Amino acid sequence: MTPEVADAATRIIAEAYDEDLSDVGDLTSLATIPDAHRSVAQIVVRAQGCVAGIPIVEMCFNHVDPTIAIQRFAEDGDVVDGGTVVMEATGSTRSLLTAERVALNLFGQLSGVATATHSFVEAVSGTAALIVDTRKTTPGLRRLEKYAVAAGGGANHRMGLYDAVMIKDNHLAASDSIADAVSKARDLVGRNMIVEVEVDTLDQLTEALETDADVVLLDNMTPEELQRAVTMVGGRMRTEASGGVTLDTVRAIAETGVDVISVGWLTHSAPALDVAMDIASAQPNQCPSP
């Protein structure tokens, strides 16, 4: 986990627990669980999938209670069977129960993204196509969701509007031409930043090939059109296919020879992986009173 991901996780975790606890706390656990009660809790993956966010689950528990001890049995990127225990957390039962929901929400969400990504990566195995994400992420969770894409074997597209230029159809609608839009972008960012331009037709691709764009995004094209487009480009710029990509279509898209396939579904619609926390053993009256 990079420092940027760790910083994002720290912020998100703090905000999530503020939302869940306010300035009151976990009333149910305070009311029903003795202060000295200790337990061992197991984090279980209930369905087969590719896990992501295990260090973040640990951060969740330690945010609530730094004395909770963690033992990991899996790492991010591992593909595990349903019923696998991936972590044990030992400590105050109150703290474990207070930490539970936020930790599981993040773990299930990120593991769902990683599992979806892993499925797409497996589907294009043996081709040269790279599966990448998009900016269609949950607001506030982008860096963590993109981390999960990488854990699933995919790669990250631009992080935001600030680290690459992507000239899309609406930008072109407000521009004089593809050449004009690319030229203005290059003037702004220079040669050291990627400039990408989206085209919907092979006629637009012909225009794009007369520019110095680094990447051409081939939007919503059929496999036949994509194959013709790759031939037209002839290696002069990188090719990216996007739009309507599913597990049923991604293999045919990859076999056209495109360099990159971007899949918004990985982060905007992938179902969360089914995960749970089970109290494996309880040890009443073992926590020293403050």
Side-chain angles (χ1 to χ4, degrees):
M1 191 162 56
T2 66
E4 292 80 8
V5 173
D7 287 347
T10 299
R11 171 183 55 79
I12 290 163
I13 288 166
E15 291 175 355
Y17 283 112
D18 284 346
E19 177 182 64
D20 214 20
L21 301 173
S22 187
D23 58 353
V24 178
D26 176 2
L27 293 177
T28 309
S29 295
L30 289 169
T32 62
I33 307 297
D35 180 51
H37 198 285
R38 285 175 61 86
S39 293
V40 177
Q42 294 181 332
I43 303 300
V44 183
V45 175
R46 287 179 168 163
Q48 185 183 60
C50 180
V51 296
I54 286 177
I56 293 167
V57 173
E58 182 170 348
M59 291 172 69
C60 286
F61 282 112
N62 289 153
H63 175 87
V64 170
D65 184 346
T67 70
I68 292 175
I70 300 294
Q71 186 174 8
R72 300 184 192 178
F73 304 115
E75 296 297 336
D76 287 350
D78 289 351
V79 176
V80 302
D81 293 328
T84 299
V85 176
V86 296
M87 178 185 292
E88 282 188 347
T90 303
S92 161
T93 306
R94 280 185 182 176
S95 296
L96 294 171
L97 293 173
T98 299
E100 175 183 7
R101 180 43 50 200
V102 168
L104 293 180
N105 285 352
L106 289 172
F107 186 41
Q109 169 72 5
L110 299 182
S111 294
V113 171
T115 298
T117 304
H118 178 75
S119 297
F120 275 82
V121 170
E122 287 291 295
V124 303
S125 177
T127 73
L130 186 66
I131 300 295
V132 306
D133 50 32
T134 71
R135 287 173 47 247
K136 295 177 181 179
T137 54
T138 307
L141 294 183
R142 178 171 297 169
R143 199 169 286 276
L144 299 193
E145 289 179 341
K146 283 178 171 282
Y147 168 79
V149 167
N156 297 149
H157 210 291
R158 58 179 178 162
M159 187 61 63
L161 295 173
Y162 60 88
D163 60 346
V165 172
M166 182 183 286
I167 303 167
K168 296 178 70 68
D169 53 356
N170 285 332
H171 299 103
L172 293 175
S175 302
D176 292 335
S177 65
I178 290 175
D180 175 66
V182 173
S183 176
K184 288 177 178 176
R186 188 63 75 194
D187 287 345
L188 175 67
V189 302
R191 298 300 316 177
N192 294 326
M193 186 172 285
I194 289 174
V195 173
E196 181 168 0
V197 61
E198 175 185 278
V199 301
D200 301 319
T201 67
L202 297 179
D203 286 341
Q204 282 187 312
L205 175 59
T206 299
E207 293 182 59
L209 288 172
E210 298 300 317
T211 73
D212 66 349
D214 303 293
V215 186
V216 61
L217 173 63
L218 308 166
D219 189 46
N220 281 301
M221 292 189 179
T222 66
E224 293 74 22
E225 289 172 322
L226 288 171
Q227 201 155 40
R228 288 179 60 193
V230 169
T231 299
M232 289 172 63
V233 172
R236 282 178 282 175
M237 54 181 69
R238 285 175 63 78
T239 54
E240 175 183 339
S242 186
V245 181
T246 69
L247 270 176
D248 291 332
T249 63
V250 71
R251 180 76 191 187
I253 293 171
E255 289 176 344
T256 66
V258 293
D259 298 303
V260 173
I261 303 173
S262 53
V263 188
W265 185 86
L266 301 179
T267 52
H268 71 60
S269 294
L273 190 63
D274 189 5
V275 298
M277 187 182 89
D278 297 327
I279 298 294
S281 63
Q283 303 164 354
N285 304 319
Q286 294 299 306
C287 278
S289 298

